[in-house]
Amino acid sequence: MSQTPTPMYRRILVKLSGEALMGEDSYGINRKVIEQIVGEIKQVAELGVQIGVVIGGGNIFRGIAPAASGMDRATADYMGMLATVMNALALKDAMSKAGLVARVQSALAMQQVAEPYVRGKAMQYLEEGKIVIFGAGTGNPFFTTDTAAALRGIEMGADVMLKATKVDGVYTDDPKKNPDAVRYQSLTFDEAIARNLKVMDATAFALCRDQQFDLKVFSIFKQGALKRVVLGEDEGTLVHC
């Protein structure tokens, strides 16, 4: 009988972009893609890892972007926060269908569809083995969901923030344009800044660096990648202090 492998990380914060849910669609949620992502998360949950998720809203907000053109920035940001809650609810539904227990907490009050964000309650859910999906970003305009992910991960005492993207790490150049681009296995926050590598937005990056909160960038579309990251295998790029 094979033994369950021991995870390197016991509590993680996964940052999912809204665009990751689109698949090949121009906007919206691709059901097949969201089920695939949930399958990757389930593999990690079955290892006993505690999981928090912050999700963006670009896939939904993109569909109404022309209407938002010229809109007040704060108003547009609040609309984007609502989009993240829609994604969080879709993700929770897919997780429930996959046999996972998940809770949605929103930084904006909307008690009919999501619980308000309460740090102590979120910590309790994680300790009970439930997945917590954090919606509405930080609840404030002018801050991205990258910053929300850094903030929630630090608040939850997560071991690492895992930024799930379409690219399997941080490269010396755009791998789609330059086939000779090399993936970094690891680098420091200062090295990433010095080399002008676009890992995440500056506010989130500074928060991770100042709080010594490690970041791992990997592809959520590479089968088994999330599990390999959690097990400490050579997958993606580690950004550290």
Side-chain angles (χ1 to χ4, degrees), residues 20-92:
L21 304 184
M22 296 191 308
E24 298 301 321
D25 300 338
S26 57
Y27 64 88
I29 298 170
N30 184 301
R31 191 68 192 181
K32 185 176 180 180
V33 169
I34 200 171
E35 288 172 355
Q36 175 188 340
I37 291 172
V38 168
E40 296 293 312
I41 292 173
K42 185 175 182 179
Q43 289 183 38
V44 173
E46 289 173 344
L47 295 175
V49 176
Q50 298 175 7
I51 306 169
V53 180
V54 169
I55 191 163
N59 58 315
I60 293 176
F61 196 71
R62 179 176 296 183
I64 58 174
S69 178
M71 185 179 290
D72 173 74
R73 168 65 189 275
T75 300
D77 280 358
Y78 280 119
M79 292 171 66
M81 291 180 217
L82 297 177
T84 71
V85 176
M86 293 170 68
N87 280 338
L89 293 172
L91 190 61
K92 176 182 181 293

Side-chain angles (χ1 to χ4, degrees), residues 218-232:
F218 74 105
S219 172
I220 192 65
F221 296 107
K222 192 174 178 181
Q223 189 173 5
L226 177 56
K227 184 176 180 179
R228 288 192 293 274
V229 167
V230 169
L231 292 176

Side-chain angles (χ1 to χ4, degrees), residues 1-231:
M1 185 176 180
S2 61
Q3 292 183 332
T4 302
T6 302
M8 180 177 181
Y9 305 114
R10 291 294 181 178
R11 179 176 291 176
I12 62 174
L13 191 290
V14 179
K15 168 57 172 65
L16 274 173
S17 68
E19 288 82 355
L21 304 184
M22 296 191 308
E24 298 301 321
D25 300 338
S26 57
Y27 64 88
I29 298 170
N30 184 301
R31 191 68 192 181
K32 185 176 180 180
V33 169
I34 200 171
E35 288 172 355
Q36 175 188 340
I37 291 172
V38 168
E40 296 293 312
I41 292 173
K42 185 175 182 179
Q43 289 183 38
V44 173
E46 289 173 344
L47 295 175
V49 176
Q50 298 175 7
I51 306 169
V53 180
V54 169
I55 191 163
N59 58 315
I60 293 176
F61 196 71
R62 179 176 296 183
I64 58 174
S69 178
M71 185 179 290
D72 173 74
R73 168 65 189 275
T75 300
D77 280 358
Y78 280 119
M79 292 171 66
M81 291 180 217
L82 297 177
T84 71
V85 176
M86 293 170 68
N87 280 338
L89 293 172
L91 190 61
K92 176 182 181 293
D93 178 75
M95 287 182 175
S96 297
K97 287 180 168 58
L100 297 171
V101 180
R103 296 288 184 268
V104 175
Q105 288 198 345
S106 170
L108 294 178
M110 47 182 74
Q111 295 181 4
Q112 286 85 350
V113 296
E115 298 179 23
Y117 169 66
V118 177
R119 178 176 179 267
K121 194 68 174 177
M123 296 279 280
Q124 178 185 331
Y125 286 148
L126 292 175
E127 290 163 1
E128 292 171 350
K130 297 180 176 71
I131 296 172
V132 183
I133 307 168
F134 301 101
T138 66
N140 301 287
F142 308 107
F143 291 95
T144 68
T145 50
D146 276 351
T147 300
L151 180 62
R152 295 291 179 253
I154 294 165
E155 286 182 306
M156 294 301 107
D159 299 318
V160 67
M161 181 168 114
L162 305 181
K163 185 168 182 180
T165 69
K166 294 182 178 181
V167 182
D168 64 340
V170 180
Y171 281 77
T172 54
D173 196 4
D174 187 343
K176 293 181 179 179
K177 298 178 181 178
N178 182 2
D180 295 324
V182 178
R183 175 177 65 87
Y184 292 103
Q185 185 177 32
S186 69
L187 69 161
T188 66
F189 287 106
D190 289 339
E191 287 172 338
I193 292 171
R195 297 171 189 174
N196 197 31
L197 300 173
K198 306 299 183 182
V199 181
M200 60 169 56
D201 77 79
T203 303
F205 201 76
L207 185 57
C208 288
R209 182 185 61 179
D210 292 348
Q211 297 300 317
Q212 300 185 4
F213 184 38
D214 289 350
L215 165 70
K216 190 97 172 186
V217 182
F218 74 105
S219 172
I220 192 65
F221 296 107
K222 192 174 178 181
Q223 189 173 5
L226 177 56
K227 184 176 180 179
R228 288 192 293 274
V229 167
V230 169
L231 292 176

